[in-house]
């Protein structure tokens, strides 16, 4: 049995992997709003390559419930110092949840509703140290 060696794969340097933090508030619905704190998933990219980040999570509790959300940022917006941020614009799931007896349960006593939140992430975090 002969082994066919694979050709060498050239090394192509990529921009550094990084994430971004986001903190904000949702819109008001049914007389309440929710807080949102999250990190977007890390990807390789810089301020000029058009990369995006995925995210998912849930809002903070308000009026006894929370909402789930999932989405993707807009492309990077480069700042004068070379760093960048991303815009976020998302609508939460319409199903209100509560944490009950160690699991998540739909709150049937709360009318289904959504909340919107939007804004800018912070600049990139989690970059490897130079020369690492």
């Amino acid at each position: 049995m002969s082994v066919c060696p694979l050709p060498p794969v050239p090394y192509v340097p990529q921009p550094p992997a990084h994430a971004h933090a986001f903190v904000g508030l949702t819109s008001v619905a049914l007389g309440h709003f929710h807080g949102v704190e999250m990190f977007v998933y890390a990807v390789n990219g810089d301020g000029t390559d058009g990369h995006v980040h995925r995210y998912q999570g849930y809002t903070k509790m308000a009026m006894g419930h929370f909402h789930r959300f999932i989405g993707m940022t807009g492309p990077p917006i480069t700042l004068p110092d070379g760093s960048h941020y991303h815009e976020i614009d998302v609508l939460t799931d319409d199903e209100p949840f509560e944490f009950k007896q160690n699991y998540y349960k739909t709150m049937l006593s709360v009318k289904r509703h959504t909340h919107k939140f939007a804004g800018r992430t912070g600049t990139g975090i989690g970059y490897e140290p130079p020369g690492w």
Side-chain angles (χ1 to χ4, degrees), residues 49-128:
D49 65 0
H51 73 277
V52 296
H53 297 262
R54 294 184 184 279
Y55 55 86
Q56 65 180 351
Y58 55 90
T59 65
K60 293 194 174 279
M61 294 281 287
M63 303 293 287
H65 71 278
F66 65 90
H67 297 267
R68 294 176 178 158
F69 59 83
I70 188 166
M72 194 176 327
T73 69
I77 299 170
T78 306
L79 295 169
D81 68 358
S83 64
H84 69 277
Y85 66 90
H86 297 265
E87 295 282 347
I88 287 179
D89 190 353
V90 67
L91 192 64
T92 65
D93 189 283
D94 70 347
E95 188 172 5
F97 286 95
E98 66 179 329
F99 191 68
K100 192 90 165 182
Q101 299 172 344
N102 295 324
Y103 62 93
Y104 297 124
K105 180 180 175 188
T106 300
M107 286 192 71
L108 300 175
S109 61
V110 177
K111 182 180 176 182
R112 284 184 174 253
H113 62 285
T114 61
H115 296 272
K116 179 182 174 77
F117 64 92
R120 296 177 174 181
T121 67
T123 57
I125 56 175
Y127 293 104
E128 298 168 353

